[in-house]
Structures are given as structure tokens and as C-alpha cells.
Amino acid sequence: MNNIKERIYVLGATGNIGPFVLKELIKEQVQITAYTRTPEKLYKAIPEAQEHQQLSIVQGGFDDLTPFNESIGGHTRLFLLVPDIKDMTRIKIELGKKAYDAGVKQIVDLSVQSLPWRYYLVSLPHQETEKALFYYSNRKSSTLVSLRPSNFMTNMLFSLETIQKQDMFMEELDPSELQEWISPNDIGQIAARILMEPIEKHGDSAYELIGDVKTPQERAVMFSKILGRPIEYQQVEPQVIYDTFIKMGFDHALAYSVSTFSAKNPTVTRGLQILLGRKPETVYEWLEKNKDTFLSKN
């Protein structure tokens, strides 16, 4: 990639994935624009960003896209990430079309794991966005790369309280049922690599991202070994998980998908090492890295 000519715009710069994208781009001395509601949060998450002279920050949110619309001009690529908010479909499509109209040649979109059309309501905004931007990008002689991640490893933090206080975690899965996982760090690094590689290399690719598969019982053994005390897995009815997520403030669509999803053919994505340039992070490695979070009770 010609770093002098490329300008990369990153949405979701202070979320779960964006900081990993930015860290990789900063290493390569790329011209970057980061879109965030809270710039101070960005500097806290990525201290090295303060020293990167080729980083510009645009303060803005998704309720008013004016800051984005006024700053996207002159960029060649866009990392498109919009959190699960009301009107996500409209917002993602509007952002994508505005980027293509402004001359962006490649969008790397954080989408959702491949599922049948309308299989879950929570995945529909991403599916609709992919379709709309795929056809729009072709009319603009641009490309759309879709990243389709499985279950984020950070989702294990939903069990933080029960692990700390009750030495257990609960899910609806059978103890021996395989579940798919992907590290947010791996997602961010893959996105950054694609954004820095020749556009024609990836074209309009869509990549499934599954970095590891483990059963709940296997994870219980890992938790026990890493934390130094017995951690048990408890299988509960889907209704219990659904009610838990509703009480946490999540809507029906997300709570229903979390409490009922079952992987059809859980297996690690064979091409992940090609996209990463290394082996993907395993569940055990992620737990080791986040050991102190699970140990702390503050």
C-alpha cells in the first residue's frame, strides 16, 4: 500500500473492535481519521495515538451524521462499524453510500455471522446493509469487504459476576456442545491488514471469522486452571438466559438470539491464519490475557 496516497477513515474508534484497528494502522504510519463521540476515551484506550501526527479525530455520533458527511471527502477507505442502535440499517447504508459518493474505493464492513435470511431479527440490519452496499459499490466501481465474526470472546464477560461471586457461569448450551469464538483483537487486525493491502486483492470478499471452538465444559476447565479455583458450568433453560439479558437492558431481538442460538457446524475458519498472518488467538489465550479482570472483585 502507498501510505502517502491512502487515507483511511475508522468508525467505532473507541468501541470493542475499533481500537485494535487503529493500533495496527498507527504502527504503519498511515493517514487516519477516527470518528468518535469522546476523543478523550480514544487517547485513554490508545495512548500512542497522541504521538501519531497523521491521525485526525472527528468528534461525532450516529444521531447526527453531519460531522461524518463533512469529513469523509478525500479518504480512500472506510472501516464501517455501527453499534447495535435504533435505525442501524438506515445509518449504516447512509454512511456507506455517502462514503462511496465521496470517492471511497473500499469499505471494510463489520457485519454478522452468516445465517439464513431473517433467521434472527438481530442479524437483519447487517444482512440488509451488506446487500444494499454491495450493489451500490459495484455501481460506483468500488468494493465492499464484509467481515462476519462469530461469538466475541469478550462476551464471556457477561458471566463475570457469577464467576467472581459464585464460582460458576451458566448458559443454555449442553455441556458438550461446541460453541464458536473469535477474538476482537483478531477481528481488528484482520480489518487493518485488509485496509492496508491492495484493494483488488480482496475485492468484494466476505470472510467468516471463527478463531476457536470450545464446549462450555472445556471453558469451565480453562477458567479453573487459569483462576486457580474450581469454576463450574451450569446448564439452564433458555428462558433463564433470555430473562437475564432483558433485565440487563437488552431488547427482545438480542436476548432471543443469545438464548436460543446453536451453531450448525462449528469449526475454525481455515483461512483465518492467511488473513491474520499468524494463528488465531484461542479461548485459553484470551482468558490468560484477561485473567486479572476475572480475578478482580472491585
Side-chain angles (χ1 to χ4, degrees):
M1 185 179 91
N2 188 331
N3 292 354
I4 298 176
K5 295 182 180 180
E6 296 284 355
R7 293 184 65 197
I8 301 175
Y9 205 112
V10 177
L11 291 171
T14 53
N16 201 11
I17 307 297
F20 293 114
V21 178
L22 284 175
K23 287 179 181 179
E24 291 302 309
L25 295 177
I26 288 173
K27 289 178 185 177
E28 299 299 322
Q29 295 298 307
V30 180
Q31 292 189 59
I32 316 163
T33 298
Y35 189 79
T36 176
R37 193 186 303 273
T38 52
E40 60 275 12
K41 186 177 178 181
L42 185 151
Y43 290 130
K44 184 177 181 179
I46 316 172
E48 59 266 36
Q50 300 185 58
E51 307 299 325
H52 188 62
Q53 296 181 353
Q54 298 187 77
L55 172 64
S56 301
I57 295 179
V58 174
Q59 186 170 9
F62 295 109
D63 50 346
D64 179 9
L65 301 182
T66 302
F68 174 83
N69 294 337
E70 293 179 346
S71 59
I72 187 60
H75 291 81
T76 54
R77 312 201 196 196
L78 169 68
F79 177 64
L80 178 58
L81 187 161
V82 175
D84 293 325
I85 57 177
K86 184 179 179 181
D87 292 334
M88 185 205 295
T89 305
R90 177 189 61 79
I91 292 169
K92 287 191 75 173
I93 293 175
E94 185 176 331
L95 288 166
K97 287 185 174 181
K98 181 65 178 179
Y100 285 133
D101 289 344
V104 167
K105 295 301 180 184
Q106 180 195 63
I107 290 180
V108 177
D109 171 39
L110 186 65
S111 186
V112 69
Q113 186 174 14
S114 291
L115 293 169
W117 175 248
R118 298 183 65 198
Y119 191 80
Y120 279 116
L121 179 60
V122 72
S123 64
L124 188 58
H126 296 287
Q127 293 175 327
E128 289 185 328
T129 298
E130 273 201 47
K131 287 186 177 181
L133 294 185
F134 174 75
Y135 292 114
Y136 196 81
S137 68
N138 288 341
R139 286 177 16 213
K140 294 289 183 177
S141 299
S142 300
T143 65
L144 175 70
V145 179
S146 298
L147 303 182
R148 297 173 175 172
S150 56
N151 200 20
F152 288 9
M153 291 182 185
T154 45
N155 289 347
M156 284 185 271
L157 293 171
F158 285 122
S159 301
L160 185 62
E161 185 174 356
T162 59
I163 288 175
Q164 291 178 341
K165 297 181 179 180
Q166 302 175 45
D167 293 335
M168 58 82 72
F169 65 98
M170 60 182 183
E171 294 172 4
E172 78 288 351
L173 301 177
D174 183 272
S176 60
E177 184 176 343
L178 286 171
Q179 189 176 26
E180 305 161 334
W181 298 94
I182 184 69
S183 162
N185 177 50
D186 287 357
I187 299 172
Q189 289 194 13
I190 288 172
R193 284 171 65 92
I194 294 172
L195 288 164
M196 291 186 290
E197 292 177 341
I199 291 175
E200 60 271 16
K201 175 178 178 177
H202 297 279
D204 289 312
S205 295
Y207 295 120
E208 299 296 320
L209 304 181
I210 303 171
D212 199 3
V213 290
K214 288 290 181 288
T215 67
Q217 190 57 52
E218 287 174 327
R219 285 191 289 126
V221 172
M222 293 178 190
F223 271 118
S224 300
K225 182 177 180 179
I226 292 171
L227 300 183
R229 66 181 194 275
I231 303 295
E232 297 183 355
Y233 171 67
Q234 180 179 339
Q235 182 182 10
V236 296
E237 293 296 325
Q239 183 72 55
V240 175
I241 302 300
Y242 176 87
D243 291 343
T244 299
F245 273 79
I246 290 295
K247 290 177 181 178
M248 291 169 64
F250 294 99
D251 64 13
H252 164 76
L254 189 141
Y256 183 80
S257 66
V258 169
S259 60
T260 62
F261 180 75
S262 179
K264 302 301 181 185
N265 184 32
T267 182
V268 173
T269 304
R270 288 185 178 180
L272 207 56
Q273 187 171 352
I274 296 173
L275 297 175
L276 274 168
R278 58 170 173 78
K279 291 184 178 180
E281 187 172 19
T282 64
V283 168
Y284 189 88
E285 290 168 340
W286 184 88
L287 289 174
E288 275 274 28
K289 189 183 298 183
N290 293 275
K291 173 181 177 179
D292 291 343
T293 300
F294 287 97
L295 284 173
S296 174
K297 295 185 179 182
N298 296 328

